[in-house]
Amino acid sequence: MIVNGEKTVWKAGLTVEGLLKAGNYRTDRVAVEKNGKIVPKKNYATEEIMEEDRIEIVSFVGGG
């Protein structure tokens, strides 16, 4: 799989939630796109990632 433009090790059964946990992302501060489509947060736990998928993870950063 490709995550944010980099080839990454894929494991069978990996979900969006699992990927985010492995990368220490806060699920309340990211948006995830899988193959060009936004994954709704409610689907993170069930949305499986396949080996050929392209994932983009965008983190929201506050500032002032």
Side-chain angles (χ1 to χ4, degrees):
M1 71 183 166
I2 306 292
V3 179
N4 292 342
E6 294 185 21
K7 186 149 178 70
T8 306
V9 177
W10 172 81
K11 294 179 186 174
L14 181 64
T15 63
V16 170
E17 183 178 73
L19 177 65
L20 293 174
K21 283 183 181 179
N24 293 317
Y25 288 97
R26 288 184 50 186
T27 58
D28 62 331
R29 295 200 175 253
V30 297
V32 178
E33 185 179 277
K34 177 180 164 189
N35 300 322
K37 296 182 181 177
I38 297 292
V39 178
K41 288 186 187 300
K42 67 180 182 177
N43 295 350
Y44 284 4
T46 58
E47 185 76 29
E48 274 198 57
I49 299 172
M50 299 294 139
E51 188 172 15
E52 66 278 0
D53 286 340
R54 291 183 157 276
I55 307 294
E56 292 294 327
I57 303 170
V58 179
S59 296
F60 301 110
V61 180

